[in-house]
Coordinates of all heavy atoms in Angstrom, one line a residue:
S73 N -143.9 -29.8 145.2 CA -143.9 -30.4 143.9 C -143.6 -29.2 142.8 O -143.7 -28.0 143.3 CB -145.2 -31.0 143.5 OG -146.3 -30.1 143.8
G74 N -143.4 -29.6 141.6 CA -143.1 -28.6 140.6 C -141.6 -28.2 140.6 O -140.7 -29.0 141.0
I75 N -141.4 -27.0 139.9 CA -140.0 -26.6 139.7 C -139.2 -26.1 141.0 O -138.1 -26.1 141.1 CB -139.9 -25.5 138.6 CG1 -140.5 -26.1 137.3 CG2 -138.5 -25.0 138.4 CD1 -140.6 -25.0 136.3
G76 N -140.1 -25.5 141.9 CA -139.6 -24.9 143.1 C -139.2 -23.4 142.9 O -138.0 -23.0 143.3
I77 N -140.1 -22.7 142.2 CA -139.7 -21.4 141.8 C -139.6 -20.4 143.1 O -138.5 -19.7 143.1 CB -140.8 -20.8 140.8 CG1 -140.9 -21.7 139.7 CG2 -140.5 -19.3 140.6 CD1 -142.1 -21.2 138.7
V78 N -140.5 -20.5 144.0 CA -140.4 -19.5 145.1 C -139.2 -19.8 145.9 O -138.4 -19.0 146.4 CB -141.7 -19.7 145.9 CG1 -141.5 -18.8 147.2 CG2 -142.9 -19.1 145.2
R79 N -138.9 -21.1 146.0 CA -137.7 -21.5 146.8 C -136.4 -21.0 146.1 O -135.5 -20.6 146.8 CB -137.7 -23.1 146.9 CG -136.6 -23.5 147.8 CD -136.7 -25.1 148.1 NE -136.8 -25.9 146.9 CZ -137.8 -26.5 146.4 NH1 -139.0 -26.4 147.0 NH2 -137.7 -27.2 145.3
F80 N -136.4 -21.2 144.8 CA -135.2 -20.6 144.0 C -135.0 -19.1 144.2 O -133.9 -18.7 144.4 CB -135.3 -21.0 142.6 CG -134.2 -20.4 141.8 CD1 -132.9 -21.0 141.6 CD2 -134.4 -19.2 141.0 CE1 -131.9 -20.4 140.9 CE2 -133.4 -18.6 140.3 CZ -132.2 -19.2 140.2
L81 N -136.1 -18.4 144.1 CA -136.0 -16.9 144.2 C -135.5 -16.3 145.5 O -134.9 -15.2 145.5 CB -137.4 -16.3 143.8 CG -138.0 -16.6 142.4 CD1 -139.4 -16.0 142.3 CD2 -137.1 -16.1 141.4
K82 N -135.6 -17.1 146.5 CA -135.4 -16.6 147.9 C -133.8 -16.1 148.0 O -132.9 -16.9 147.8 CB -135.6 -17.6 148.9 CG -135.6 -17.2 150.3 CD -136.1 -18.2 151.3 CE -135.9 -17.7 152.7 NZ -136.4 -18.7 153.7
G83 N -133.7 -14.9 148.2 CA -132.4 -14.4 148.5 C -131.4 -14.1 147.3 O -130.3 -13.7 147.4
K84 N -132.0 -14.4 146.1 CA -131.1 -14.3 144.9 C -130.8 -12.8 144.6 O -131.7 -12.0 144.8 CB -131.7 -15.0 143.8 CG -131.9 -16.5 143.9 CD -130.5 -17.2 144.0 CE -130.6 -18.7 143.9 NZ -131.3 -19.3 145.1
S85 N -129.7 -12.6 143.9 CA -129.3 -11.2 143.5 C -129.2 -11.3 142.0 O -128.7 -12.3 141.4 CB -128.1 -10.7 144.1 OG -128.3 -10.5 145.5
Y86 N -129.4 -10.1 141.3 CA -129.4 -10.1 139.8 C -128.7 -8.9 139.2 O -128.6 -7.8 140.0 CB -131.0 -10.0 139.4 CG -131.8 -11.1 140.0 CD1 -132.4 -10.9 141.2 CD2 -132.1 -12.3 139.3 CE1 -133.3 -11.8 141.8 CE2 -133.0 -13.3 139.8 CZ -133.5 -12.9 141.0 OH -134.3 -13.9 141.6
L87 N -128.2 -9.0 138.0 CA -127.8 -7.9 137.3 C -128.7 -7.9 136.1 O -128.8 -8.8 135.4 CB -126.3 -8.0 136.8 CG -125.9 -7.0 135.9 CD1 -125.8 -5.6 136.4 CD2 -124.4 -7.4 135.3
V88 N -129.4 -6.6 135.9 CA -130.4 -6.5 134.8 C -129.9 -5.4 133.9 O -129.7 -4.3 134.3 CB -131.7 -6.2 135.3 CG1 -132.8 -6.1 134.2 CG2 -132.3 -7.3 136.4
T89 N -129.9 -5.7 132.6 CA -129.7 -4.6 131.6 C -130.9 -4.2 131.0 O -132.0 -5.0 131.0 CB -128.7 -5.1 130.5 OG1 -129.4 -6.1 129.7 CG2 -127.4 -5.7 131.1
G90 N -131.0 -3.0 130.4 CA -132.3 -2.5 129.8 C -133.4 -2.4 131.0 O -134.5 -2.5 130.6
A91 N -133.0 -2.0 132.1 CA -133.8 -2.1 133.3 C -135.0 -1.1 133.3 O -136.0 -1.3 133.9 CB -133.0 -1.8 134.6
T92 N -135.0 0.0 132.5 CA -136.1 0.9 132.4 C -137.0 0.6 131.3 O -138.0 1.3 131.0 CB -135.6 2.4 132.4 OG1 -134.8 2.5 131.2 CG2 -134.8 2.8 133.6
G93 N -136.7 -0.4 130.5 CA -137.5 -0.9 129.4 C -138.8 -1.5 129.9 O -139.0 -1.9 131.0
F94 N -139.8 -1.7 129.0 CA -141.0 -2.3 129.2 C -141.0 -3.6 129.9 O -141.5 -3.9 131.0 CB -141.8 -2.3 127.9 CG -143.2 -2.9 127.9 CD1 -144.1 -2.5 128.8 CD2 -143.5 -3.9 127.0 CE1 -145.4 -3.0 128.9 CE2 -144.8 -4.5 127.0 CZ -145.8 -4.0 127.9
L95 N -140.3 -4.6 129.2 CA -140.3 -6.0 129.8 C -139.5 -6.0 131.1 O -139.9 -6.7 132.0 CB -139.6 -6.9 128.8 CG -139.3 -8.3 129.2 CD1 -140.5 -9.0 129.7 CD2 -138.6 -9.0 128.1
A96 N -138.3 -5.3 131.1 CA -137.5 -5.5 132.3 C -138.2 -4.9 133.6 O -138.1 -5.5 134.7 CB -136.2 -4.6 132.2
K97 N -139.0 -3.8 133.4 CA -139.7 -3.3 134.5 C -140.8 -4.2 135.1 O -140.9 -4.4 136.3 CB -140.2 -1.9 134.2 CG -139.2 -0.8 134.2 CD -139.8 0.4 133.5 CE -140.8 1.2 134.2 NZ -141.1 2.6 133.6
V98 N -141.5 -4.9 134.2 CA -142.5 -5.8 134.6 C -141.8 -7.0 135.3 O -142.3 -7.6 136.3 CB -143.4 -6.3 133.5 CG1 -144.3 -7.4 133.8 CG2 -144.1 -5.2 132.8
L99 N -140.7 -7.5 134.8 CA -139.9 -8.6 135.4 C -139.5 -8.2 136.8 O -139.6 -9.0 137.7 CB -138.8 -9.0 134.5 CG -137.9 -10.2 135.0 CD1 -138.7 -11.4 135.3 CD2 -136.9 -10.5 133.9
I100 N -138.9 -7.0 136.9 CA -138.4 -6.5 138.3 C -139.6 -6.5 139.3 O -139.5 -6.9 140.4 CB -137.7 -5.2 138.1 CG1 -136.4 -5.3 137.3 CG2 -137.5 -4.6 139.4 CD1 -135.8 -4.0 136.9
E101 N -140.7 -6.0 138.8 CA -141.9 -5.9 139.7 C -142.2 -7.2 140.2 O -142.6 -7.4 141.3 CB -143.0 -5.1 138.9 CG -144.2 -4.7 139.8 CD -145.2 -5.8 140.1 OE1 -145.3 -6.8 139.4 OE2 -145.9 -5.6 141.2
K102 N -142.3 -8.2 139.3 CA -142.8 -9.5 139.7 C -141.8 -10.2 140.6 O -142.2 -10.9 141.6 CB -143.0 -10.4 138.5 CG -143.7 -11.8 138.8 CD -145.0 -11.7 139.3 CE -145.6 -13.0 139.7 NZ -146.2 -13.8 138.5
L103 N -140.5 -10.0 140.4 CA -139.5 -10.5 141.3 C -139.6 -9.9 142.7 O -139.6 -10.6 143.7 CB -138.1 -10.2 140.8 CG -137.6 -11.0 139.5 CD1 -136.3 -10.5 139.1 CD2 -137.5 -12.5 139.9
L104 N -139.8 -8.6 142.8 CA -140.0 -8.0 144.1 C -141.2 -8.4 144.8 O -141.2 -8.5 146.1 CB -139.9 -6.5 143.9 CG -138.6 -5.8 143.4 CD1 -138.8 -4.3 143.1 CD2 -137.5 -6.1 144.3
R105 N -142.3 -8.6 144.0 CA -143.6 -8.9 144.7 C -143.7 -10.4 145.1 O -144.2 -10.6 146.2 CB -144.7 -8.5 143.6 CG -146.0 -8.8 144.3 CD -147.1 -8.0 143.5 NE -146.9 -8.0 142.0 CZ -147.4 -9.0 141.3 NH1 -148.0 -10.0 141.8 NH2 -147.2 -9.0 140.0
T106 N -143.1 -11.3 144.4 CA -143.2 -12.7 144.7 C -142.1 -13.1 145.6 O -142.1 -14.3 146.2 CB -143.3 -13.5 143.4 OG1 -142.1 -13.3 142.6 CG2 -144.5 -13.3 142.7
S107 N -141.0 -12.3 145.7 CA -139.9 -12.7 146.6 C -139.5 -11.5 147.4 O -138.5 -10.9 147.1 CB -138.8 -13.2 145.7 OG -137.7 -13.7 146.6

Side-chain angles (χ1 to χ4, degrees):
S73 60
I75 299 174
I77 299 175
V78 173
R79 186 169 60 250
F80 172 82
L81 295 178
K82 188 173 183 179
K84 294 296 187 296
S85 291
Y86 309 84
L87 172 64
V88 182
T89 69
T92 58
F94 179 48
L95 172 59
K97 285 166 69 171
V98 174
L99 179 54
I100 290 167
E101 192 277 340
K102 187 61 180 279
L103 287 172
L104 294 175
R105 181 159 45 85
T106 55
S107 184

